[in-house]
């Protein structure tokens, strides 16, 4: 939480999200580097709630820290990929989280749900 101090109420897709993506992608890149992987990727860019460019920029920055490591960037938000993602998710009965995983996003999602008389997550 120390990295996000002062950004607790930043909006979705704001500076806090960039910092969070950077933090996660930096750890991913370090793991990849230490374990001999040559590419990293993330599912965060698949969400319609996230700014794919914001996510991808974090991936590129993280990969650039290590020679020979690349960020694998794809357009996961196309209509075709979105349909395929939902198809796989339904067929495999994957759990579909309704927030990004950040405790601030969970708080904001539950505030929205409460205002719309929808049960909390």
């Amino acid at each position: 939480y120390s990295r996000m101090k002062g950004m607790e109420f930043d909006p979705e897709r704001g500076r806090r999200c960039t910092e969070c993506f950077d933090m996660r992608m930096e750890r991913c890149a370090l793991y990849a580097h230490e374990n001999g992987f040559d590419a990293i990727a993330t599912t965060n860019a698949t969400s319609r709630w996230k700014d794919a460019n914001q996510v991808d920029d974090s991936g590129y920055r993280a990969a650039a820290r290590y020679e020979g490591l690349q960020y694998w960037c794809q357009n996961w938000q196309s209509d075709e990929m979105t349909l395929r993602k939902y198809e796989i998710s339904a067929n495999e009965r994957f759990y579909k989280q309704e927030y990004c995983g950040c405790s601030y996003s969970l708080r904001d999602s539950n505030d929205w749900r409460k205002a719309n008389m929808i049960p909390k997550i």
Side-chain angles (χ1 to χ4, degrees):
Y1 288 103
S2 63
R3 189 165 176 169
M4 304 307 155
K5 189 146 182 77
M7 295 180 270
E8 296 87 351
F9 293 96
D10 278 13
E12 182 72 23
R13 299 180 176 202
R15 193 175 91 219
R16 183 186 68 225
C17 291
T18 297
E19 284 295 324
C20 185
F21 295 140
D22 282 350
M23 177 181 67
R24 293 168 189 275
M25 294 305 294
E26 287 164 10
R27 295 290 300 165
C28 179
L30 175 62
Y31 183 89
H33 172 73
E34 290 177 343
N35 290 279
F37 293 96
D38 61 2
I40 59 173
T42 180
T43 60
N44 281 322
T46 68
S47 172
R48 66 177 182 244
W49 305 109
K50 297 298 176 197
D51 177 343
N53 291 326
Q54 185 182 35
V55 174
D56 292 337
D57 287 347
S58 291
Y60 286 122
R61 279 192 297 277
R65 293 171 164 237
Y66 303 99
E67 187 175 336
L69 185 63
Q70 66 175 338
Y71 174 66
W72 191 54
C73 180
Q74 298 292 319
N75 179 9
W76 301 109
Q77 293 181 342
S78 70
D79 290 342
E80 181 181 344
M81 290 303 287
T82 297
L83 178 61
R84 183 70 177 126
K85 175 179 65 173
Y86 288 125
E87 205 173 79
I88 291 170
S89 182
N91 288 342
E92 299 299 326
R93 300 182 61 184
F94 288 157
Y95 166 72
K96 186 169 185 275
Q97 188 165 296
E98 296 185 34
Y99 67 103
C100 69
C102 161
S103 62
Y104 307 116
S105 175
L106 175 60
R107 175 203 61 209
D108 296 345
S109 293
N110 280 329
D111 287 349
W112 181 89
R113 293 171 78 86
K114 183 177 180 182
N116 289 280
M117 298 193 290
I118 300 170
K120 282 179 23 171
I121 298 170

